[in-house]
Amino acid sequence: MHLRDPKVSIVRCADQHQFDAVKESVIQATELIGGLESLITPGDHVMLKPNFICEADYKTGATTNPNVVFAVAELCKEMGAKKVTIAEGSAIGTDTDKVFDALGIRELARQHQCDVVNLIKDEFTYCMNPLGRNIKRIRLPRTFIESNVVINIPVMKTHDALAVTLGLKNLKGIIHQSDKKRFHKWGLSQTIVDLGHLAMPELTIIDGTIALEGMGPVVGKAVNLGLLLASTDTVAADRVAMEIMGFELSEVEYIKLAGEQGLGCTDLAQIKIVGQSLESVKRPFERLSLDPQILEEMDIRLVACDACSGCNNAISSYLYDQYLKGTLEKLRGCTLIYGQNPYIPEGNHGKIIRLGVCTRNVKMEQGIYVPGCPPHPMHIDDFVSGKGLERA
Ligand code: SF4
């Protein structure tokens, strides 16, 4: 049973660069699922959580379109919200204040009479998470805790380690920086679901005005999709978005787990889609996968035994990235082992690279071990290149 209404609206946006056109689409998207007035009470403090991961403009597809964010902000004010706060904690290693400045968020917030909070600098409080499996206790920021309503506004993107990043994954931006680092160690897919149990927003509006395909979540190719999706069931919104992008549920571990653990609905037969039909808006996104023949020619062997989509995605995108950079040569003759039942193949296997915590106990005298669950593509390269190398 799902506590949230698995109804997802899909609307087209006539001009993603025009504030009034975007606002009209936001009104349509929210009215189709019951209207913002069903969520906002006069006097509320509303927190908006966009995806401002980096300084890249929304036209690249890497960050949420500010027209969407401020259209939502304006509508919340019209419903009587006393305070609207745009809150974000950008990616690790990125200065969130610089991101706000580069994207012009502070000036737009001033024009729309909103507050802006850098969540990295916020005050954090430990909260218990009884439904969490890997995280039972986690720090959450004061701005989030003190908000009456949270509206999540992710951008529709591919992701190098998770296949896609949408509503659920966008919540990771609210947590403490040191917990962000720990998420990979704790098991990224399950911890995203655990966080969802504690921090589920009242509404998710997925910004597909300009989406991102290929090498997401930052340096892929922009897709002028011109869509907005809205739902009070974040998992259902994610499920519909990934269907538009051409991904199967089995390819996105954390959304699959979210459905299995009752966080929301992933069954398309149970999700009520309103507005545009799913068939009319499908647009397969470019994947991060390499022609197997290229690997064969370079004598690179992949030994994947019962690998989750996390490891499959991370390793595919790592190899694809190396190929694009012209540095795949460093893996010539190597065997990459990963998956939940790893083993060392018989015969000549060259240098062995064990990837992911599942391979930690594979006995071998030499080679490289890359931790993580799944290992992050960037970390794989650090280990393979000798930075942070752990000899087995
Ligand atoms: S390390 Fe193991 S559990 Fe984690 S994603 Fe890879 S195969 Fe799955």
Side-chain angles (χ1 to χ4, degrees), residues 187 305-312 338-340 355-359 372-375:
C305 199
D306 296 333
C308 314
S309 59
C311 265
N312 282 327
Y338 52 100
Q340 297 179 77
L355 299 147
V357 292
C358 289
T359 64
C373 178

Side-chain angles (χ1 to χ4, degrees), residues 89-94 120 124 173 175-182:
S90 303
I92 292 171
T94 306
I120 308 296
F124 280 79
I175 62 173
H176 197 276
Q177 284 296 77
S178 48
D179 288 339
K180 281 183 188 167
K181 289 180 195 156
R182 290 192 192 114

Side-chain angles (χ1 to χ4, degrees), residues 53-55 89-96 98-99 120 177 180-181 378:
I53 185 177
C54 62
E55 296 178 26
S90 303
I92 292 171
T94 306
D95 183 330
T96 306
K98 283 190 182 158
V99 171
I120 308 296
Q177 284 296 77
K180 281 183 188 167
K181 289 180 195 156
M378 208 168 63

Side-chain angles (χ1 to χ4, degrees), residues 9 36 54 56 70 74 81 90 99 114 124 131 136-137 167 169-170 177 232 261 267 282 292 298 313 353 370 377:
S9 64
L36 270 180
C54 62
F70 288 97
E74 207 168 275
S90 303
V99 171
C114 297
F124 280 79
L131 294 175
K136 294 279 185 201
R137 188 169 170 262
K169 167 68 173 57
N170 195 42
Q177 284 296 77
T232 54
Q261 294 173 28
D267 180 357
K282 278 187 178 176
M298 300 197 70
N313 293 329
I353 302 171
V370 185

Side-chain angles (χ1 to χ4, degrees), residues 7-266:
K7 188 194 262 189
V8 180
S9 64
I10 306 175
V11 303
R12 290 197 188 275
C13 181
D15 185 344
Q16 52 266 60
H17 309 297
Q18 282 290 328
F19 181 79
D20 289 342
V22 171
K23 187 175 173 187
E24 188 50 41
S25 298
V26 172
I27 293 171
Q28 280 176 26
T30 49
E31 280 186 349
L32 282 165
I33 55 162
L36 270 180
E37 61 273 26
S38 63
L39 293 172
I40 312 263
T41 304
D44 272 343
H45 175 190
V46 182
M47 180 183 125
L48 306 186
K49 169 61 181 79
N51 183 330
F52 293 149
I53 185 177
C54 62
E55 296 178 26
D57 186 88
Y58 76 95
K59 290 174 189 155
T60 65
T63 50
T64 305
N65 184 341
N67 288 320
V68 179
V69 178
F70 288 97
V72 176
E74 207 168 275
L75 289 166
C76 290
K77 291 264 179 170
E78 287 169 17
M79 300 292 148
K82 188 174 165 197
K83 188 171 162 187
V84 177
T85 303
I86 318 293
E88 175 63 305
S90 303
I92 292 171
T94 306
D95 183 330
T96 306
D97 286 325
K98 283 190 182 158
V99 171
F100 285 146
D101 289 340
L103 301 179
I105 301 305
R106 290 189 202 283
E107 176 53 24
L108 286 166
R110 195 187 56 72
Q111 289 168 19
H112 292 271
Q113 297 174 321
C114 297
D115 292 348
V116 177
V117 170
N118 174 350
L119 291 176
I120 308 296
K121 295 179 177 170
D122 209 356
E123 195 181 309
F124 280 79
T125 305
Y126 270 105
C127 300
M128 293 306 291
N129 188 21
L131 294 175
R133 295 194 178 181
N134 290 2
I135 42 171
K136 294 279 185 201
R137 188 169 170 262
I138 190 164
R139 285 165 282 198
L140 290 178
R142 181 179 180 165
T143 306
F144 173 83
I145 293 169
E146 292 183 350
S147 299
N148 307 101
V149 178
V150 174
I151 302 181
N152 186 28
I153 318 178
V155 58
M156 189 188 284
K157 301 192 282 186
T158 48
H159 190 280
D160 53 8
L162 295 164
V164 298
T165 170
L166 298 159
L168 269 184
K169 167 68 173 57
N170 195 42
L171 300 175
K172 190 166 164 254
I174 70 169
I175 62 173
H176 197 276
Q177 284 296 77
S178 48
D179 288 339
K180 281 183 188 167
K181 289 180 195 156
R182 290 192 192 114
F183 261 43
H184 277 267
K185 204 169 81 190
W186 290 335
L188 189 55
S189 295
Q190 182 59 54
T191 44
I192 289 171
V193 176
D194 286 357
L195 178 63
H197 280 298
L198 194 60
M200 194 54 92
E202 275 68 29
L203 173 67
T204 288
I205 298 176
I206 298 180
D207 172 18
T209 56
I210 300 180
L212 188 95
E213 66 180 351
M215 197 67 200
V218 173
V219 292
K221 285 196 281 184
V223 182
N224 276 298
L225 202 59
L227 293 178
L228 284 178
L229 279 67
S231 183
T232 54
D233 181 337
T234 301
V235 179
D238 283 5
R239 178 69 185 92
V240 172
M242 53 182 273
E243 193 71 16
I244 293 172
M245 300 162 83
F247 285 83
E248 302 276 337
L249 187 57
S250 58
E251 295 177 275
V252 189
E253 186 78 6
Y254 71 99
I255 297 177
K256 184 162 80 76
L257 291 176
E260 288 167 2
Q261 294 173 28
L263 202 57
C265 185
T266 53

